[in-house]
Amino acid sequence: DTEVTQTPKHLVMGMTNKKSLKCEQHMGHRAMYWYKQKAKKPPELMFVYSYEKLSINESVPSRFSPECPNSSLLNLHLHALQPEDSALYLCASSQDQLAGRELFFGEGSRLTVL
Amino acid sequence: SQQGEEDPQALSIQEGENATMNCSYKTSINNLQWYRQNSGRGLVHLILIRSNEREKHSGRLRVTLDTSKKSSSLLITASRAADTASYFCATDGKAAGNKLTFGGGTRVLVKP
């Protein structure tokens, strides 16, 4: 199984809502990532978890809250988002966080904030 | 922050032609990877080239790396309509804390 599964595929939320994006992999990978991608732009790194511990936070606003309940799951909790947070949110995993590892991406969750 | 700049930003070719795109980066790297992204989908890893390598092949893909010029190229030979996608280079190196940083991407349209 070489898949990274993301749910939901699409999400529409108001600025006062609380929602969560979920990501799951069963490849035994120990590094998991959240990226944000705006239209016609490259993915931008948000968070990295390594061995279930937050390793990198790219100065992401606190309205985005990551969580890694176990080695297979990664969540991104969303609260009080702004319309400019509308984007494709991509989850990825890799064997570990060492340089030169191939990233396996999910299909993304397309978020629209009204 | 964006480490790589890709050129061209967009490319339109006929099926059967070759497609070449370039990636330039600013600081020294350990590795350079190329990824493909179909519209609105996730990214798929294509190929990795290490800083001590100059050329790699994978099927119809050929990647070169020139560390003296801080640039890489991706050549897709005998393109197919299914190659229509955005292509991103991504680099990792000490300056970025070994984080993988993506370039701006090249949008390739292969016309049947």
Side-chain angles (χ1 to χ4, degrees):
Chain A
D1 185 358
T2 57
E3 281 193 351
V4 175
T5 304
Q6 289 188 243
T7 56
K9 291 192 187 320
H10 300 275
L11 179 62
V12 179
M13 59 187 292
M15 289 190 284
T16 58
N17 292 157
K18 283 185 182 181
K19 297 286 184 183
S20 297
L21 305 181
K22 297 185 183 301
C23 176
E24 188 169 7
Q25 57 87 15
H26 294 289
M27 293 177 278
H29 288 173
R30 304 315 299 268
M32 296 187 77
Y33 308 76
W34 280 115
Y35 282 85
K36 173 183 177 180
Q37 186 179 29
K38 302 283 264 185
K40 296 186 179 180
K41 295 292 187 182
E44 293 180 354
L45 183 64
M46 300 175 71
F47 302 104
V48 181
Y49 273 82
S50 178
Y51 290 85
E52 298 156 55
K53 292 192 187 323
L54 184 63
S55 170
I56 295 174
N57 176 345
E58 291 286 86
S59 302
V60 179
S62 60
R63 57 186 184 268
F64 295 91
S65 176
E67 179 196 19
C68 189
N70 60 55
S71 60
S72 299
L73 294 174
L74 185 65
N75 298 322
L76 186 62
H77 302 297
L78 314 171
H79 174 53
L81 294 193
Q82 304 296 311
E84 60 264 28
D85 296 323
S86 298
L88 182 67
Y89 288 83
L90 293 162
C91 174
S93 70
S94 63
Q95 182 178 343
D96 51 46
Q97 205 184 337
L98 292 177
R101 296 302 193 199
E102 172 186 349
L103 265 60
F104 291 78
F105 282 83
E107 294 288 2
S109 293
R110 184 162 299 282
L111 173 66
T112 302
V113 182
L114 302 176
Chain B
S1 63
Q2 197 169 309
Q3 152 83 310
E5 295 292 334
E6 295 190 52
D7 169 54
Q9 291 188 344
L11 181 60
S12 180
I13 56 174
Q14 292 293 138
E15 207 165 25
E17 293 179 342
N18 295 342
T20 300
M21 59 210 85
N22 303 295
C23 168
S24 60
Y25 54 91
K26 298 171 187 170
T27 59
S28 63
I29 62 170
N30 294 325
N31 308 281
L32 187 144
Q33 303 184 44
W34 286 90
Y35 286 80
R36 184 187 76 230
Q37 184 179 33
N38 290 79
S39 181
R41 308 288 295 274
L43 282 77
V44 175
H45 180 263
L46 295 176
I47 197 164
L48 178 149
I49 188 164
R50 303 193 187 283
S51 60
N52 61 353
E53 297 176 310
R54 293 296 167 259
E55 187 172 316
K56 278 188 91 167
H57 297 255
S58 177
R60 292 183 296 113
L61 306 179
R62 173 177 169 253
V63 169
T64 63
L65 178 64
D66 187 335
T67 53
S68 67
K69 294 181 179 177
K70 292 188 170 61
S71 69
S72 173
S73 68
L74 171 66
L75 167 67
I76 306 173
T77 59
S79 63
R80 304 166 182 169
D83 295 326
T84 294
S86 291
Y87 292 82
F88 294 94
C89 67
T91 58
D92 64 65
K94 282 187 180 176
N98 289 327
K99 291 179 290 188
L100 194 64
T101 308
F102 286 85
T106 295
R107 296 189 304 280
V108 175
L109 171 63
V110 181
K111 294 179 282 188

